[in-house]
Amino acid sequence: MTQAGGGILKRAALWRIALLVVAVGGLELLCLTGRIDRLTMQPPHRILVDMVALLAGGQLNTAIAKTLGNAALAFVIAMVVGVTVAVVLHYFRSLRHTLDPLFATYYAIPMFAFYPLLIVLFGLGDTPQIFIGAMLAVVAVIVNTLNGLDRIPRVLLKTARVNQLSAWETATQVMLPCATPYILTGAKLAVAYSLIGIIGAEFIMSTGGMGYEISFAYTNFDNAKMYPLILLILAVSIAINTLLARWEKVLMARRGLS
Amino acid sequence: MTMRATTAMPSVATAARAQVQVSLRAVDKEFNRTGRGGEAIHALGPIDLELRQGEFFAVVGPSGCGKSTLLELVAGLSTATRGEVAFEGRPIKGRIPDGVGVVFQEDASFPWLSVRDNIAFGLRRMKIDPRERERRIDSALAMMGLTAFAQSYPAQLSGGMRQRVCIARTLVTEPRLILLDEPFGALDQQTRLLMGDEVLNLWRKTGATVFLITHALDEAAMLADRIGVMSARPGRLIDIIETGWSRDRDSRIVQEEAFGAITARLWRSLRSESLKSIGKPEAGP
Ligand SMILES: Nc1ncnc2c1ncn2[C@@H]1O[C@H](COP(=O)(O)OP(=O)(O)OP(=O)(O)O)[C@@H](O)[C@H]1O
Ligand SMILES: [Mg+2]
C-alpha cells in the first residue's frame, strides 16, 4: 500500500469518527434538552450504561446466546451452501442463465411472509428462524462468489490443467483462493443478512432471543431494555464486519489492489 | 570461441535426429465463431512438424498467426480440428501428457501465493521427498534470480520477474518438454539477452526439449537449433532454418557474422507475411 493511499484511508476513518461523534452528540443534546422525550428514546450515554448493566446483570444472556448462536449457524450455512452453489453454477452455464434473473429480484421477496409456512414444515423450534437467516444471506454469497469466479484469468485455469489438477483441486486450490476477496464481500453482507433474518423471525413469533426481547420491550415501552439490545446488535455486526474488512484489506494489499 | 553457422556443421540436435519427441501430422485448428452462426476461424494449419528430443526449437511469425494456438495443441490444452499431435509416440487428445511444462504468454503467477509457494505449486502433485522438494525450489529460485524475493508476493514484482516466477514453477517439475510462449515479452532488451542465456543454461543442464515462441527474430536466431517461420493466419510453416550453433553457445553470438545472416534470412521470409497480418499485402517488386 502506498503512503498516499494509507493517508486517504486514515482520513476517511477520521471523518467517519467525526460524523459519528456529531450524530451521537446531536442525539444526546436533543434528548437532554427534552426535544425528544424519554418515553420515545433514551439519551445515547444512558443506552450505553443500560447495555453494560444488562450484560453485567446476565438476565438476557440466554436470549443473546440463542440469537447470536443461531445467526452464526445461519451464516455458516449460507457461506458453505452459497460458495458451493456458486462453483456449481459457474460450471453449468445454462443453469446459471436460468437462475440469474431470480438472483436479481431475490431481495424483493418478502422472506418473512413464509415464516408460518416454515413453521409448518420445520416445527416450532429454532429451525425455521435459522432457515430464514440462511435464505436471506445465501444469495448475497452466491452473487458475490460468482462475480469473483467470473474474474479468474483464463491463464490461471490453464495453469491448473497443465499441473493436472482435478476439478476439486482446481476449485479449492485455484478458483476459490483467486475469488477470496469477492467471497469476503459476500461474507460481510451475509453477516448482516443472517442477523436480520434471525432477529426478524424472533420479532414476529418466537418465545426467545434478542428479537423477541426487543419486541417485548417495545410493546411495554421498556426503553431501558430495547435500545441497549439494538445497540448490542449494532456493536456485534460492526465488530464482525470490521474483522472481515481487515482480512479483505490484507488480501487486497497482497495483490497490490488496496 | 569461434563458431560458424553453416548448415553443414553437425550440431548435437541433428546428431540425435533419430529421436522424435513431438510430432504433428497435417494438423489444423479451427475456432467456432460464437454469436455469428456458422463460419469458423481457420487459425492454424495444415502443419507438419517433428521436434527432436533435446533440441531447441524456436517459432517466429506475425502477430495473430496462430503461434499460441500451436503451443496449446502441443501442450494438450486444446484438440486439433484435423490431424494428429503425438508426444513421445502417444497421441495427445486434449489430455495433458506427463513431462510437459508450459510458460504462458500472459502472467500466470498466483497473486495469493508468495513467490516460493508459487514455485512449490508446480510440485503439488508430485510425490517427492521434502528435502528434494526444497532443493529443487531453492535451485529454481537461484537460477531465475529470485532468491531475495522468495517471500514476496507477485504484486510486489515487476512483470518480467513475475514471468520468471512462472518459468521457475515450470522448471521444478523437471519437464522433458518445455513450452515457452513469448516468456520475455515483458523484458527490456538487455535482460532479455541475459534471460536467453539462462534458458540456454537450463536447456543444457536438463537436456529437455525447448519449444520457444517469440516475436523477436534476434532471440530466435541466438537461442535455437532450428527456427520455424510461420505464415500469416492460418499459420503454416513456410521455412525451417537450421542455425548450426554449437551446444555451448551464449548471448555473445550476437556479435558473429552468421548471426546477422540468420536474422536477415528470417526477415526475408517474414516480411511479406507480416505485411499481410497488418492488412497491407506487398506491393511493387
Ligand atoms: N479461443 C479462441 N476462439 C476464437 N478464436 C481464437 C481463439 N484463440 C485464438 N483465436 C484466433 O486464432 C488466431 C491465432 O491466435 P493466436 O493467439 O494463436 O495467435 P499468436 O500467433 O499467438 O498471436 P500473438 O503473436 O499476438 O500472441 C487469431 O486470429 C485469434 O483471433
Ligand atoms: Mg500468442
Side-chain angles (χ1 to χ4, degrees), chain A residues 154 158, chain B residues 29-34 41-44 59-72 105-106 181-182 213-215 230-231 233-235:
Chain A
R154 287 170 61 110
K158 283 186 202 166
Chain B
K29 180 69 184 180
E30 286 169 6
F31 288 105
N32 292 322
R33 223 186 284 237
T34 45
I41 300 175
H42 191 189
L44 184 76
V59 175
V60 293
S63 183
C65 74
K67 302 183 294 295
S68 298
T69 306
L70 176 61
L71 176 131
E72 298 209 347
Q105 190 169 6
E106 306 91 352
D181 195 348
E182 300 195 20
I213 290 172
T214 174
H215 56 251
M230 282 174 76
S231 68
R233 186 172 68 82

Side-chain angles (χ1 to χ4, degrees), chain B residues 35-92:
Chain B
R36 272 173 284 178
E39 197 201 353
I41 300 175
H42 191 189
L44 184 76
I47 286 210
D48 285 278
L49 177 65
E50 287 186 341
L51 298 185
R52 303 157 192 161
Q53 186 85 58
E55 82 170 318
F56 198 129
F57 193 96
V59 175
V60 293
S63 183
C65 74
K67 302 183 294 295
S68 298
T69 306
L70 176 61
L71 176 131
E72 298 209 347
L73 286 172
V74 175
L77 283 166
S78 73
T79 40
T81 312
R82 283 178 295 277
E84 189 187 78
V85 184
F87 176 68
E88 294 177 347
R90 270 187 295 274
I92 300 172

Side-chain angles (χ1 to χ4, degrees), chain A:
Chain A
M1 190 167 49
T2 62
Q3 241 169 346
I8 288 170
L9 282 185
K10 227 169 258 169
R11 205 160 333 137
L14 278 179
W15 272 109
R16 194 155 51 223
I17 291 170
L19 211 67
L20 215 67
V21 168
V22 169
V24 174
L27 207 60
E28 184 80 43
L29 218 65
L30 287 175
C31 290
L32 289 182
T33 53
R35 288 287 180 89
I36 298 176
D37 72 281
R38 290 234 151 190
L39 278 180
T40 311
M41 191 176 175
Q42 308 260 44
H45 82 269
R46 191 70 240 162
I47 299 179
L48 195 65
V49 171
D50 287 344
M51 186 178 89
V52 173
L54 216 65
L55 286 174
Q59 68 268 40
L60 284 181
N61 280 0
T62 16
I64 293 168
K66 171 183 182 291
T67 300
L68 295 187
N70 285 352
L73 202 59
F75 172 77
V76 170
I77 291 170
M79 287 307 294
V80 173
V81 172
V83 169
T84 312
V85 168
V87 171
V88 170
L89 287 180
H90 188 73
Y91 272 112
F92 299 102
R93 302 223 152 241
S94 53
L95 181 60
R96 176 175 176 183
H97 286 308
T98 315
L99 292 178
D100 255 345
L102 190 70
F103 294 150
T105 52
Y106 187 78
Y107 284 109
I109 300 172
M111 200 64 63
F112 294 104
F114 295 118
Y115 194 35
L117 175 72
L118 293 174
I119 289 178
V120 172
L121 284 175
F122 298 118
L124 271 169
D126 290 358
T127 317
Q129 297 156 30
I130 297 167
F131 190 86
I132 282 191
M135 285 298 281
L136 264 182
V138 76
V139 167
V141 179
I142 294 175
V143 169
N144 281 286
T145 305
L146 273 174
N147 189 12
L149 294 176
D150 288 342
R151 281 157 210 262
I152 299 174
R154 287 170 61 110
V155 71
L156 298 190
L157 299 175
K158 283 186 202 166
T159 303
R161 286 183 60 199
V162 168
N163 282 281
Q164 305 192 323
L165 267 62
S166 64
W168 170 255
E169 288 167 327
T170 304
T172 55
Q173 294 178 22
V174 176
M175 294 167 74
L176 294 182
C178 193
T180 305
Y182 295 90
I183 298 175
L184 280 179
T185 305
K188 284 195 289 185
L189 290 169
V191 169
Y193 279 130
S194 43
L195 263 173
I196 292 171
I198 296 292
I199 291 167
E202 287 170 353
F203 210 101
I204 298 173
M205 53 171 95
S206 165
T207 50
M210 291 164 91
Y212 167 78
E213 296 293 345
I214 290 172
S215 138
F216 192 79
Y218 176 79
T219 42
N220 291 300
F221 301 99
D222 189 358
N223 283 351
K225 211 168 174 187
M226 184 174 90
Y227 284 112
L229 275 172
I230 292 174
L231 182 63
L232 184 62
I233 291 164
L234 210 63
V236 167
S237 64
I238 288 174
I240 297 172
N241 259 311
T242 307
L243 280 178
L244 288 174
R246 275 270 163 81
W247 186 13
E248 195 180 13
K249 222 169 91 183
V250 169
L251 291 185
M252 294 304 254
R254 195 173 282 172
R255 294 176 192 205
L257 303 165
S258 53

